[in-house]
Amino acid sequence: MKKVVFSLGLGIAMLVAGQPQTPMTPEQQALQKTMKTLSKGLSRIQHGILYNDRDELLAGVRMLKRTEEGFLTRHGEALKKYMPENPKFAVSLAKLSEKNIERYIRMMREDIFSRHDYSRITAGYTHIMQECVGCHQKLRRWKWEE
């Protein structure tokens, strides 16, 4: 009997945990899709660095560049909803991150085509990740669970 009750409780808990808290708006869904694409691009860059695969590096950089261009035009309103008390800060932070990511992408492309310096390419990748994490910490208020 205890096993049945435990299994039933566990099943219900898993079902509830899998449900989103609130339904996502179409703007939030589009933003999530963009973020997933950026994540895939970063994964491809990392794979290219680890396996000395120039084609994979370039594919990842192209993916980032294509997705990142016009980011604020497409998602500015959705970003404001993460900080309703200060929406201007949300957009200005995203603009700054967008500008920095564009710069790092240019640097990585230059390093891939002319310098062939994997340590500089890795530094560019790291800087992009820092931009992502910094923005998410501020806008989404990420913090360690205690």
Side-chain angles (χ1 to χ4, degrees), residues 71-90:
F71 179 82
L72 288 174
T73 307
R74 291 190 312 272
H75 304 300
E77 291 303 311
L79 289 171
K80 289 178 183 179
K81 293 177 183 173
Y82 281 104
M83 294 191 87
E85 71 282 355
N86 195 352
K88 286 183 182 179
F89 174 74

Side-chain angles (χ1 to χ4, degrees), residues 30-71:
L31 179 59
Q32 183 181 48
K33 182 179 177 186
T34 297
M35 289 295 166
K36 285 182 179 182
T37 305
L38 289 171
S39 174
K40 287 177 188 174
L42 286 168
S43 293
R44 291 187 83 168
I45 291 169
Q46 183 183 33
H47 185 270
I49 291 168
L50 292 173
Y51 294 99
N52 194 23
D53 186 341
R54 184 172 183 245
D55 292 336
E56 191 71 7
L57 265 172
L58 287 171
V61 169
R62 276 193 303 270
M63 213 171 185
L64 285 184
K65 184 170 176 41
R66 218 178 20 249
T67 305
E68 191 270 331
E69 286 177 342
F71 179 82

Side-chain angles (χ1 to χ4, degrees), residues 34-142:
T34 297
M35 289 295 166
K36 285 182 179 182
T37 305
L38 289 171
S39 174
K40 287 177 188 174
L42 286 168
S43 293
R44 291 187 83 168
I45 291 169
Q46 183 183 33
H47 185 270
I49 291 168
L50 292 173
Y51 294 99
N52 194 23
D53 186 341
R54 184 172 183 245
D55 292 336
E56 191 71 7
L57 265 172
L58 287 171
V61 169
R62 276 193 303 270
M63 213 171 185
L64 285 184
K65 184 170 176 41
R66 218 178 20 249
T67 305
E68 191 270 331
E69 286 177 342
F71 179 82
L72 288 174
T73 307
R74 291 190 312 272
H75 304 300
E77 291 303 311
L79 289 171
K80 289 178 183 179
K81 293 177 183 173
Y82 281 104
M83 294 191 87
E85 71 282 355
N86 195 352
K88 286 183 182 179
F89 174 74
V91 172
S92 68
L93 176 66
K95 279 183 183 178
L96 180 61
S97 292
E98 181 179 48
K99 182 178 156 189
N100 289 337
I101 290 170
E102 285 173 8
R103 188 177 77 227
Y104 297 132
I105 289 170
R106 279 194 310 273
M107 290 168 51
M108 288 175 73
R109 286 180 55 80
E110 182 181 320
D111 292 333
I112 291 168
F113 286 115
S114 62
R115 295 195 175 124
H116 312 291
D117 186 346
Y118 275 84
S119 61
R120 286 180 50 98
I121 294 166
T122 303
Y125 168 82
T126 301
H127 289 307
I128 291 172
M129 286 298 298
Q130 288 172 335
E131 288 295 326
C132 295
V133 170
C135 196
H136 283 227
Q137 282 179 326
K138 290 176 181 105
L139 288 183
R140 299 183 70 195
R141 295 181 176 87
W142 278 358

